[in-house]
Amino acid sequence: MSFKIVALVKYVPDATGDRHFADDLTVDRDDVDGLLSELDEYAVEQALQIAEGRRQGGDDAEVTVLTVGPEDAKDALRKALSMGADKAVHVEDDDLHGTDAIGTSLVLAKAIEKAGYDVVISGMASTDGTMGIVPALVAERLGVPQVTLLSEIAVEDGKVTGRRDGDAASEQLEASLPAVVSVTDQSGEARYPSFKGIMAAKKKPVESWDLSDLDIEAEEVGLEGAYTKVESADARPARTAGTIVKDEGEGGKQLAAFLAGQKFI
Amino acid sequence: MAEVLVYVDHVDGAVRKPTLEVLTLARRIGEPVAVALGAGAAATAATLAEHGAVKVLTNEAAELADYLVVPKVDALQAAYEQVSPAAVLLPTSADAKEIAARLALRIDSGIITDAVDVEAGADGPVATQSVFAASFTTRSVVAKGTPVITVKPNSAPVEAAPAAGSVEELSVTFSALATGTKVVSRTPRQSTGRPELTEAAIVVSGGRGVNGAENFGIIEALADELGAAVGASRAAVDAGWYPHTNQVGQTGKSVSPQLYIANGISGAIQHRAGMQTSKTIVAVNKDAEAPIFELADYGVVGDLFQVVPQLTEEIKARKG
Ligand SMILES: Cc1cc2nc3c(=O)[nH]c(=O)nc-3n(C[C@H](O)[C@H](O)[C@H](O)COP(=O)(O)OP(=O)(O)OC[C@H]3O[C@@H](n4cnc5c(N)ncnc54)[C@H](O)[C@@H]3O)c2cc1C
Ligand SMILES: Nc1ncnc2c1ncn2[C@@H]1O[C@H](COP(=O)(O)O)[C@@H](O)[C@H]1O
């Protein structure tokens, strides 16, 4: 039996674009170009490395990339396929508009179960929401160990091990498979798609599932089903233009005078 | 009066400052009941009582340290069931966000992470968040269940508000999943003697402009003169000049100090995401066009190797 790796990838608005909110206070995904979240490229990279390792050892392995998102989210899947993933699943449904993290984790968990998995790998956080909680939620729903925020990861002998660099300490973790893993941007640079990879990706299968395929009711997700409600979203007032001086030999002293004026010294 | 559960972040009984800030916010909503877990939990009680905890629920089971996240979720859920609080507040950290998320799912409630303010509202607490690299401010409420909210460090003042703080042992039955992920070993971070990056009132950061690990001494000297923490851009961290634990930005720490001094940092959106809510921002950069100057309350266009040592000397001189 082939070893099944599912990598979770999110399609996000470009952080360098002018991100803003739509009238219904959801993230506007129309006006800003989207892309595969850079932090999920690290997940795809580790998924590919684990699969390559197994194949070198004579075992079979398969990497499925999974996204929950609008039509354009296919772009994120294409990118992951061109990096080398074997197949893709796109969960798309009009009723998903406005789904929050709790709802997203429900959809992901159902889709992961339907796809089958030995290990699920996600990024550390999405670059738009930046909550960093979906992997923990998915693990809770699947009832399998969560081995998250790894900056180093190894999957061998039915086990996942890795290093989690926390605030107070660096921890070496270990869990048996199946498990849900998330990796940080310290886990190793993600590869660029090769020309061959880009061509090959065009022929790779992309399955489309909707809520009924996953036995999820419309009320459980979307804006209606959301557990949180954004009441207002306001552009932060532009910072009042500061004082900019050119250093003519006294820049450090001028800065000290400013800091003293602000009572920092 | 309604009770509010507050998750305590502590190291061997020493309560970290963000927890005291959360207590300030919790008191706006109800009576704080603190939950302190792991070795040293009982030792947190005096500090928590001083800052408004009416009760401190403790559990020091070995599982809490030996396995990742889930035992703490089990314990917090036990406290939730015992207290039936109006809200659950936690100081934001990687662990706390995951604990909060799993708790929210179990108690069928909504979760808000990284709040920078929490107020009592007509329909429960209203949380303010700073999103899209702090270019927007949102106000949100939890629509279902008991609000679970994580609060960023430096979001509220620490206030003395003496309360009973009676200690009570929390009884916890660990779930089957609690022992799923074993912490095989733990290497505590070595203390630099400087303030904690996320908690510091002043942060002095260096970027690619610092041009080498050996030059970070200039940044550290300024930081030490100001009693500040040291930060770094990802470019400086990736180059191996400074540890990743000091990285400020989207994939590093998010800081919100009174004063942030960026030296040789261009101000990329991912860096701004971690420092844009700082009260006063100062930049030193030799490129007058660097985007960091758009945020700066005070900027010096110049060579940091001239400006920063001169600043350090001048502060020393002023202090006399
Ligand atoms: C998904 C993702 C996540 C990221 N996360 C983070 C993050 O968490 N934190 C982060 O910082 N970045 C992050 N980045 C990287 C970010 O995009 C920038 O590349 C990075 O912040 C640049 O660091 P820098 O400003 O030090 O370097 P540069 O952009 O190279 O800027 C160096 C600056 O130093 C100035 N300089 C040079 N020499 C001197 C001198 N002698 N005196 C004065 N000034 C001088 C230059 O004029 C220049 O403005 C992330 C990127 C991605 C894609
Ligand atoms: N809509 C989605 N589709 C696929 N994966 C997702 C989605 N949302 C979140 N994820 C995964 O969960 C990680 C953490 O997301 P978040 O909790 O939103 O910060 C991301 O890096 C992704 O790997």
Side-chain angles (χ1 to χ4, degrees):
Chain A
M1 259 242 313
S2 187
F3 187 80
K4 290 186 154 182
I5 306 164
V6 177
L8 307 184
V9 299
K10 190 175 181 187
Y11 178 77
V12 296
D14 186 349
T16 56
D18 175 23
R19 294 179 294 180
H20 55 268
F21 287 86
D23 291 341
D24 64 356
L25 299 180
T26 59
V27 176
D28 192 323
R29 299 185 189 273
D30 296 333
D31 287 358
V32 181
D33 285 343
L35 76 175
L36 165 62
S37 171
E38 284 127 329
L39 294 176
D40 294 346
E41 290 183 15
Y42 296 95
V44 175
E45 177 62 37
Q46 291 309 315
L48 295 174
Q49 287 190 20
I50 293 163
E52 285 159 3
R54 293 193 75 90
R55 285 179 194 134
Q56 272 161 20
D59 295 324
D60 231 0
E62 175 188 78
V63 176
T64 303
V65 286
L66 167 63
T67 197
V68 175
E71 168 70 26
D72 292 346
K74 284 213 169 46
D75 291 355
L77 294 175
R78 278 290 162 223
K79 168 97 186 261
L81 289 172
S82 60
M83 287 171 72
D86 301 296
K87 57 183 201 175
V89 173
H90 184 187
V91 183
E92 187 189 1
D93 198 304
D94 288 345
D95 289 326
L96 281 168
H97 176 77
T99 305
D100 63 5
I102 300 249
T104 301
S105 71
L106 171 68
V107 182
L108 286 169
K110 293 263 192 177
I112 291 162
E113 275 173 337
K114 187 172 158 81
Y117 69 102
D118 292 291
V119 59
V120 176
I121 304 191
S122 82
M124 64 188 285
S126 36
T127 54
D128 53 350
T130 66
M131 293 179 84
I133 61 172
V134 164
L137 290 169
V138 169
E140 174 77 31
R141 287 192 187 271
L142 294 174
V144 302
Q146 93 167 57
V147 199
T148 45
L149 298 174
L150 301 183
S151 45
E152 240 174 52
I153 168 178
V155 172
E156 268 162 3
D157 307 327
K159 276 192 314 204
V160 49
T161 53
R163 195 182 79 236
R164 171 172 168 125
D165 294 322
D167 283 347
S170 183
E171 295 165 331
Q172 199 64 38
L173 304 178
E174 182 183 299
S176 55
L177 297 178
V180 173
V181 172
S182 78
V183 294
T184 72
D185 62 335
Q186 301 292 302
S187 59
E189 272 315 300
R191 67 195 65 186
Y192 287 104
S194 64
F195 178 70
K196 210 173 122 216
I198 294 169
M199 296 314 288
K202 297 194 165 133
K203 296 193 207 82
K204 289 179 179 169
V206 178
E207 277 192 57
S208 249
W209 295 345
D210 63 13
L211 289 178
S212 65
D213 291 321
L214 300 175
D215 290 323
I216 297 172
E217 302 294 330
E219 306 83 67
E220 294 179 82
V221 295
L223 266 184
E224 286 302 306
Y227 280 76
T228 49
K229 188 167 176 297
V230 180
E231 299 207 311
S232 66
D234 300 301
R236 191 184 167 86
R239 290 189 87 102
T240 41
T243 310
I244 311 290
V245 300
K246 195 168 168 349
D247 179 32
E248 312 271 9
E250 299 282 301
K253 288 186 179 156
Q254 287 167 284
L255 184 44
F258 169 79
L259 295 179
Q262 301 285 315
K263 305 270 183 292
F264 287 116
I265 0 179
Chain B
M1 197 176 178
E3 290 171 314
V4 177
L5 220 49
V6 172
Y7 176 84
V8 176
D9 192 357
H10 70 99
V11 180
D12 296 327
V15 181
R16 294 179 64 183
K17 184 163 145 268
T19 300
L20 304 180
E21 297 164 5
V22 171
L23 283 170
T24 300
L25 296 177
R27 283 188 287 110
R28 293 182 184 167
I29 308 167
E31 292 190 324
V33 173
V35 183
L37 305 173
T44 62
T47 309
L48 297 170
E50 239 170 82
H51 296 89
V54 294
K55 209 189 283 178
V56 182
L57 304 176
T58 63
N59 188 296
E60 306 199 1
E63 283 89 340
L64 293 159
D66 293 348
Y67 299 91
L68 190 71
V69 172
V70 188
K72 298 197 176 98
V73 183
D74 290 345
L76 195 55
Q77 186 180 8
Y80 169 84
E81 279 157 10
Q82 182 179 324
V83 175
S84 301
V88 182
L89 303 189
L90 308 84
T92 294
S93 69
D95 284 28
K97 283 211 265 190
E98 295 185 328
I99 294 165
R102 296 184 73 136
L103 175 75
L105 189 56
R106 290 184 186 185
I107 65 173
D108 198 28
S109 294
I111 171 170
I112 294 174
T113 61
D114 301 295
V116 295
D117 198 9
V118 179
E119 289 157 309
D123 307 312
V126 182
T128 305
Q129 287 163 292
S130 184
V131 304
F132 293 163
S135 57
F136 274 83
T137 302
T138 60
R139 286 164 59 85
S140 304
V141 293
V142 165
K144 287 190 217 171
T146 306
V148 179
I149 302 172
T150 82
V151 180
K152 273 176 70 164
N154 284 336
S155 295
V158 173
E159 291 168 3
S166 49
V167 181
E168 225 177 83
E169 165 81 14
L170 174 70
S171 114
V172 184
T173 313
F174 292 108
S175 63
L177 266 183
T179 53
T181 307
K182 189 163 175 45
V183 179
V184 181
S185 65
R186 180 177 281 120
T187 317
R189 220 159 274 316
Q190 291 216 320
S191 168
T192 57
R194 296 194 180 90
E196 189 60 41
L197 186 55
T198 51
E199 299 171 14
I202 303 180
V203 175
V204 179
S205 285
R208 200 194 305 274
V210 174
N211 199 26
E214 64 284 8
N215 300 332
F216 254 88
I218 299 175
I219 305 298
E220 290 178 335
L222 174 57
D224 291 343
E225 210 51 59
L226 289 165
V230 176
S233 74
R234 177 160 153 185
V237 169
D238 284 353
W241 303 340
Y242 223 68
H244 180 250
T245 34
N246 295 72
Q247 182 176 314
V248 172
Q250 184 181 39
T251 52
K253 300 272 162 60
S254 178
V255 302
S256 205
Q258 295 297 322
L259 171 65
Y260 188 87
I261 307 183
N263 303 289
I265 292 177
S266 63
I269 185 85
Q270 294 89 355
H271 188 78
R272 285 153 68 153
M275 48 67 72
Q276 199 155 0
T277 54
S278 305
K279 305 294 175 300
T280 299
I281 297 175
V282 167
V284 177
N285 194 305
K286 67 181 179 190
D287 174 12
E289 305 296 318
I292 191 79
F293 285 124
E294 292 163 20
L295 306 180
D297 297 289
Y298 197 90
V300 179
V301 179
D303 185 346
L304 71 89
F305 293 100
Q306 303 296 322
V307 177
V308 174
Q310 188 180 71
L311 171 60
T312 310
E313 281 312 309
E314 182 67 16
I315 296 171
K316 222 178 257 171
R318 280 173 185 257
K319 287 203 288 200

